[in-house]
Amino acid sequence: MKICKIKFKNIHALKGEHSIDFENGILAQAGLFVITGATGTGKSTLLDIITLALYNRIPRIDKPITENVIEQEGVVLTKNAADCYAEVEYQVKGTRYISSWSIRRTRTGSLDKRKQELVDGATGAILVSGVQEVVVANERIIGLNYNQFVQSMILAQGQFSKLLLAKKDERNTLLEEITGSSIYRKIGKLVFQKFRAIEEAVKIQTIKMGETVLLTPQNVNEIQHDILLQKPLLLAKETQKEHYEAKKIIKENHIKNKRLQAENAMAWALFLKEKELFLPQQEQLQAHEGVVEYKDQMLAIETAEKTCQAISEKIASTKEKLVANQKDKSDLLLRATALVKTEVSEQNLEQVVTAFRAKVTALKADETDTLNQTKQQLGRIEDKLSEANKLGLSLVKNETLEAQIQDNLERVEAQIKAKAIDTIIAVKDKKEQLNKQLLPASQLLGDRRLFDEKKKAIHELQLKILQQKTQIDHLSVSLKKQQEERNDLLPAVEQGQKELEHWQQRKSLDQHRLELKDGEACPLCGSETHPLVTEIAEKVVSTLYQKQQALVHQLEALNKSLLENEIQCQALQKTHATNIQELQNSLAEFQVLETKIAHLCQQLQWTTADTLEIWETKAFALQHELAALDQLENHIQSRNLLKDMQLLFLEYTRLKTKYTQAKEALKSVYDKNDSDQETNSLLNAFIWCRSTLKNLAEQVADYQKSMAEIQHQKEQIVATLMPELQQKGMASLSELKAKILEEKTANHLRTQWQALHQNQIRLQTNKEKIEQDLAADAKLEDPTITLEEIGLELPKISQEILLLQKQIWNQEQRLLIDHQNKEKLQESQLVLDALEKDLLLWSKMNLLIGDATGKKFSNFVQDLTLKQLLEYGNQRLIGFSDRYLLDTTNDTDGLKVIDTYMGNTKRSVSSLSGGETFKLSLALAFGLSDLAAQNVAIESLFIDEGFGSLDPESLDQAISILENMQNESNKSIGIISHVGELKERIGAKIKLVRTGAGYSTIEIE
């Protein structure tokens, strides 16, 4: 995983928008760079931006970043800023991704919901959005969660020694978080929980089986015998109950039928009374049925009479409207006479009013056209006035405008006459000639300034190249001398090491000699005498060791100085070559520029030996002359414009007079506002009135005709109907009308008659059925027992049956429950056997890896991880120092350090100095990064502080190791530090500079 670029805005002290590109420019070329700045300028903020955009976390806050955290902790968002964002572009396995985080304040000042997105770097398509979703996606793509990322790629401030100095439990927890191996703790917990669950299940199953009690065989036989005795008694009692219930039903039916017979007799008497009361309505219904056939003719006669009455009323109303419309017509004739101011009749009203409307329309059109022409002319004058103002003429639109035009025209002509050029074309030709001179003059001035600057820069570069050449020669001599010293020193170091090893071997033999005793045979030579036991080489070995250490330190110091001088010499040679090339390029450019200046001077006929000030004076004179021509051009344009305005003003005066005349002519004919509306209203009213009079006369004739036709139809119906009525004994239509009932009344009477008839049939049928039932009951009835006696006996028998049923059911249930219990016990035993088998398995598992917290299995896994981590860390530690190795023991919580300079003695890491602690912590951090790199390719590494605790020699070693690491793996490594030597040694820098008010900015060099 490689960090390619970061972009951000308003994060902590870094106000505004910033971006840092690790792939291009100085940082990409160097690979190893330092992040410097005063305390509080925002060095660690750069690490915050990376973790914030990827994981919504920052190392200095031990929880996810939310709106409440930002407000309460005062982190992330710059003070008084309205919004902020953090964006990281990174690459994994050749694919680029852009992860962004942002938040802003609403209008009310509260924080809006934060946003986070993951975008495909190639296509720009949004892959995931949402804080939780983006964090999960980044973990999946990168292959590291937040804790793993911080420990593997961003070694944050205060985190170096945390893992090194932690006790076993704390260290295992850290390793668990870093390596993402919390699954083993969960497995340990689950194993323990499974073991406890099965153990509890075995106890519960055993208790449940002990609670079940079975019947003895003797109890079963007694219950079965009791059931056989009770069942015949129950059958006899049930038969007796059935006989009593049958007799009860017969007696109850007999009583019921007697009651129904009496009720039916009462209903029959009531029916006869209702039938007698209905006789008058029955006669009325019969009379209606006899004449109902003439009902339609009777209705037709009544309808004709009502229609004739309605028509008579309409005729009277229409005649009233005729009189009113005649009066309206007379009023309209008077209105027309007053409008056209001539006598108007009914015959010529439309012709006269139409001609009057046409005349008024023509006069109005003439007035409108003249007014529009006048306005257009005034608009042209205003347009010219606007142009005049743009040209600088002081003209005001008022009653003195004509005089103002004349005054300005005389003034402008006087100024043109003074210049002796009076056409636009002549002015433009003169301006074109000046512009052809002014453009090369401007180029010449710019080239001259550039010429002077380049001349100065070339002189400074030549001096710098001479200084670099002197430094390179001095370093070359120094390097040659140091190489000769090293070549002289190497044989002495090798010879001293051989001599030291020889005497160390002799010392080990001396130690063996001390253990020999006189009279006992030597295991090597067999001699019983040992004359050399007292010869000990302690002093010789100690002296040789001190001498060898001095030679080694001298060689290391010489190698260090030689390496530094070689690096410095190479850097100077590279810079020297670059400066020479730059000088050659500058000289070539200088010569081209000198040639160009000479050509421009020749074109302008200026002298090359003149100073820049003389050239600037000549250029200013050209510009001044060009400005005078611009002013003359303006005067000529003003003169032409003023003459046009004079002609326009004369035409405007003529049109204004014409409009006044047209307006007076219209007023003499029609002095109101809307002639069309008035004439149209008059004509429409007259036409409508005339049409209405005609329609009303036609309506009266139609009403009279309809009324005659209806009277004739009525007389025909009466002539046909009367003979038939007389045959039935009716002498007039009123008698017929009296006998005919309304259909609703007739239907009601018919319904009453049908109900009486149906009631008669029902009562007769009920009477016959009741008599038949009473005869049948008399044959079946038992006279030896009464209904009351049956009612007393039945409850007693039912109670006896219930008791017998309950006894039998209880006994059968006891047998059934006993059978079920036997089956359950067999099933429970099978379950218990299976549980005990599982318990045996999970008790072994729990013994090996299970406990309530999962600590047992997690510690086992983390011990293996720690062993692997220490191997990687020790490999990195060799680059710092060959003195120490990291190790662990089972008898103590903390890590141990093996001191090879002190006979491989082990001691606690807490006994180390600050510088030693930092070196071991850094080596362990690099080992952790190497461990993570087994699954994730880590191509970027950031280290936050800790170098201040190192002595100069250790600091130099640390820088060399970082440089070697960067060269070997091509990683991008950034170091945050205040240490001056570190900043001087590492060329590429990201500098954070305070700008005031607590804010900072970024400079890359």
Side-chain angles (χ1 to χ4, degrees), residues 751-810:
T751 302
Q752 285 182 319
W753 169 248
Q754 289 175 358
L756 286 171
H757 183 66
Q758 290 175 357
N759 193 23
Q760 182 179 3
I761 295 170
R762 182 181 61 78
L763 290 172
Q764 184 63 37
T765 302
N766 287 343
K767 180 181 177 183
E768 293 173 357
K769 183 177 182 304
I770 290 169
E771 289 176 351
Q772 290 174 359
D773 290 343
L774 286 172
D777 290 341
K779 294 178 182 178
L780 295 174
E781 188 176 3
D782 184 3
T784 60
I785 190 169
T786 65
L787 183 61
E788 289 76 8
E789 292 173 343
I790 294 173
L792 293 173
E793 289 297 326
L794 273 175
K796 296 178 181 178
I797 297 171
S798 297
Q799 184 64 29
E800 292 174 358
I801 291 172
L802 184 62
L803 290 173
L804 288 170
Q805 288 175 339
K806 186 175 180 181
Q807 291 176 4
I808 294 171
W809 183 85
N810 287 336

Side-chain angles (χ1 to χ4, degrees), residues 350-538:
E350 291 184 57
Q351 182 180 356
V352 171
V353 172
T354 303
F356 174 79
R357 180 175 61 188
K359 182 179 179 181
V360 173
T361 302
L363 289 171
K364 278 191 172 182
D366 185 42
E367 179 196 22
T368 303
D369 290 343
T370 307
L371 178 61
N372 289 337
Q373 291 176 10
T374 305
K375 288 180 177 179
Q376 289 173 0
Q377 193 68 10
L378 182 61
R380 295 186 188 99
I381 292 172
E382 290 175 348
D383 292 341
K384 293 294 183 181
L385 186 63
S386 176
E387 292 179 22
N389 290 331
K390 289 179 181 177
L391 290 172
L393 297 172
S394 56
L395 296 175
V396 181
K397 182 184 173 184
N398 55 28
E399 62 276 0
T400 65
L401 180 60
E402 188 176 7
Q404 294 177 49
I405 293 172
Q406 183 60 35
D407 293 341
N408 278 278
L409 182 59
E410 292 173 357
R411 179 179 57 80
V412 169
E413 284 181 337
Q415 292 175 344
I416 293 171
K417 189 175 180 180
K419 295 290 184 181
I421 301 176
D422 62 350
T423 64
I424 294 292
I425 295 174
V427 172
K428 287 186 176 179
D429 289 341
K430 185 66 176 175
K431 285 173 67 176
E432 186 176 357
Q433 293 174 7
L434 287 174
N435 282 322
K436 286 181 179 179
Q437 290 181 311
L438 191 59
L439 179 61
S442 298
Q443 292 178 349
L444 180 58
L445 293 175
D447 290 343
R448 178 60 182 269
R449 294 187 186 98
L450 183 61
F451 176 85
D452 293 342
E453 291 174 0
K454 280 190 171 293
K455 187 175 181 180
K456 181 181 178 182
I458 288 171
H459 177 68
E460 292 175 352
L461 188 58
Q462 287 173 337
L463 292 176
K464 188 176 182 181
I465 289 171
L466 289 174
Q467 292 174 356
Q468 289 173 347
K469 181 68 171 63
T470 303
Q471 291 177 343
I472 290 170
D473 293 342
H474 177 72
L475 282 173
S476 299
V477 171
S478 178
L479 281 171
K480 185 176 180 181
K481 182 178 179 181
Q482 288 176 338
Q483 287 173 348
E484 290 174 355
E485 291 178 2
R486 185 181 65 176
N487 293 336
D488 294 339
L489 188 60
L490 279 173
V493 172
E494 292 175 357
Q495 181 62 33
Q497 184 65 31
K498 289 179 181 178
E499 190 173 354
L500 176 62
E501 289 175 354
H502 169 73
W503 280 98
Q504 284 178 338
Q505 185 176 8
R506 284 194 60 182
K507 178 184 173 183
S508 63
L509 290 174
D510 290 344
Q511 187 67 31
H512 179 69
R513 288 191 192 99
L514 291 174
E515 297 175 358
L516 297 177
K517 296 179 180 179
D518 291 334
E520 295 181 0
C522 175
L524 182 63
C525 62
S527 173
E528 294 183 357
T529 60
H530 318 292
L532 298 178
V533 168
T534 57
E535 296 182 8
I536 302 173
E538 278 289 344

Side-chain angles (χ1 to χ4, degrees), residues 100-295:
S100 62
W101 181 101
S102 63
I103 196 167
R104 66 180 185 85
R105 290 194 182 276
T106 62
R107 292 180 180 178
T108 60
S110 61
L111 285 174
D112 200 356
K113 289 185 178 179
R114 59 196 186 283
K115 297 179 181 178
Q116 202 158 353
E117 288 183 346
L118 182 62
V119 176
D120 188 316
T123 64
I126 297 175
L127 303 176
V128 182
S129 61
V131 177
Q132 297 299 328
E133 292 80 0
V134 169
V135 171
V136 172
N138 281 327
E139 289 179 350
R140 175 178 53 79
I141 293 168
I142 298 171
L144 301 171
N145 60 28
Y146 169 73
N147 289 320
Q148 293 169 325
F149 185 85
V150 170
Q151 293 290 342
S152 305
M153 294 186 65
I154 296 183
L155 309 180
Q157 196 173 54
Q159 298 293 321
F160 276 26
S161 60
K162 189 175 180 181
L163 183 64
L164 179 71
L165 300 177
K167 297 301 181 181
K168 182 173 182 178
D169 289 345
E170 184 184 356
R171 182 177 65 243
N172 286 346
T173 302
L174 287 172
L175 284 174
E176 187 177 281
E177 293 176 358
I178 293 167
T179 59
S181 55
S182 59
I183 184 66
Y184 299 105
R185 182 178 295 274
K186 294 178 182 177
I187 291 172
K189 286 183 182 179
L190 291 173
V191 167
F192 175 77
Q193 292 168 3
K194 184 70 175 177
F195 165 70
R196 286 298 189 196
I198 294 177
E199 187 178 47
E200 184 64 20
V202 169
K203 291 179 181 178
I204 293 172
Q205 188 68 12
T206 304
I207 293 170
K208 285 171 63 177
M209 290 178 64
E211 292 173 350
T212 304
V213 179
L214 300 179
L215 294 174
T216 63
Q218 182 180 355
N219 291 336
V220 172
N221 291 333
E222 290 176 354
I223 292 169
Q224 291 174 344
H225 179 70
D226 184 58
I227 292 171
L228 291 175
L229 293 176
Q230 296 292 339
K231 282 187 176 181
L233 295 175
L234 176 62
L235 182 60
K237 288 295 181 181
E238 287 176 344
T239 303
Q240 185 181 8
K241 181 180 178 182
E242 289 174 0
H243 287 313
Y244 275 106
E245 286 176 344
K247 290 179 180 181
K248 180 180 179 183
I249 291 170
I250 293 170
K251 289 185 178 294
E252 287 176 345
N253 285 339
H254 182 72
I255 295 170
K256 177 182 175 183
N257 287 328
K258 283 288 186 181
R259 178 176 52 78
L260 291 174
Q261 187 178 38
E263 290 175 354
N264 192 65
M266 291 174 65
W268 185 264
L270 183 61
F271 162 72
L272 292 176
K273 187 175 181 180
E274 288 177 354
K275 186 177 181 181
E276 183 179 357
L277 293 172
F278 186 70
L279 284 175
Q281 288 89 342
Q282 184 177 1
E283 292 173 357
Q284 189 179 7
L285 179 61
Q286 288 173 352
H288 169 77
E289 297 292 348
V291 296
V292 74
E293 57 183 310
Y294 305 114
K295 183 177 181 181

Side-chain angles (χ1 to χ4, degrees), residues 922-972:
L922 185 60
L924 196 61
F926 286 160
L928 188 60
S929 182
D930 294 338
L931 182 62
Q934 289 180 316
N935 302 316
V936 179
I938 295 175
E939 300 179 55
S940 298
L941 186 65
F942 295 89
I943 304 170
D944 191 356
E945 280 298 356
F947 293 91
S949 61
L950 299 180
D951 58 64
E953 182 179 354
S954 299
L955 178 62
D956 187 67
Q957 290 176 350
I959 295 173
S960 299
I961 288 170
L962 291 173
E963 289 174 340
N964 293 335
M965 181 187 296
Q966 195 280 323
N967 292 329
E968 292 171 2
S969 61
N970 199 29
K971 286 183 180 180
S972 176

Side-chain angles (χ1 to χ4, degrees), residues 3-180:
I3 303 294
C4 303
K5 185 187 293 183
I6 64 172
K7 292 174 64 180
F8 57 94
K9 176 183 178 184
N10 296 335
I11 303 294
H12 294 314
L14 295 170
K15 187 177 182 181
E17 290 193 86
H18 306 271
S19 66
I20 299 176
D21 191 345
F22 299 106
E23 272 194 316
N24 301 294
I26 297 172
L27 301 180
Q29 294 171 5
L32 179 65
F33 55 90
V34 63
I35 303 170
T36 69
T39 302
T41 54
K43 299 185 296 298
S44 298
T45 297
L46 301 182
L47 307 187
D48 292 346
I49 290 161
I50 296 172
T51 57
L52 184 64
L54 294 175
Y55 297 103
N56 189 39
R57 297 278 297 274
I58 59 176
R60 66 185 78 188
I61 301 293
D62 194 21
K63 55 187 171 183
I65 301 301
T66 63
E67 293 79 9
N68 289 335
V69 170
I70 295 173
E71 294 284 21
Q72 294 171 4
E73 304 288 343
V75 294
V76 180
L77 182 61
T78 302
K79 184 180 179 182
N80 299 326
D83 62 342
C84 68
Y85 74 83
E87 180 180 292
V88 174
E89 182 176 343
Y90 67 91
Q91 179 175 310
V92 176
K93 297 179 181 178
T95 304
R96 286 181 177 269
Y97 303 91
I98 300 174
S99 183
S100 62
W101 181 101
S102 63
I103 196 167
R104 66 180 185 85
R105 290 194 182 276
T106 62
R107 292 180 180 178
T108 60
S110 61
L111 285 174
D112 200 356
K113 289 185 178 179
R114 59 196 186 283
K115 297 179 181 178
Q116 202 158 353
E117 288 183 346
L118 182 62
V119 176
D120 188 316
T123 64
I126 297 175
L127 303 176
V128 182
S129 61
V131 177
Q132 297 299 328
E133 292 80 0
V134 169
V135 171
V136 172
N138 281 327
E139 289 179 350
R140 175 178 53 79
I141 293 168
I142 298 171
L144 301 171
N145 60 28
Y146 169 73
N147 289 320
Q148 293 169 325
F149 185 85
V150 170
Q151 293 290 342
S152 305
M153 294 186 65
I154 296 183
L155 309 180
Q157 196 173 54
Q159 298 293 321
F160 276 26
S161 60
K162 189 175 180 181
L163 183 64
L164 179 71
L165 300 177
K167 297 301 181 181
K168 182 173 182 178
D169 289 345
E170 184 184 356
R171 182 177 65 243
N172 286 346
T173 302
L174 287 172
L175 284 174
E176 187 177 281
E177 293 176 358
I178 293 167
T179 59

Side-chain angles (χ1 to χ4, degrees), residues 877 880-881 914-924 950 954 957:
L877 190 57
F880 287 110
S881 170
E916 291 172 331
T917 299
F918 173 76
K919 286 195 288 185
L920 267 66
S921 299
L922 185 60
L924 196 61
L950 299 180
S954 299
Q957 290 176 350

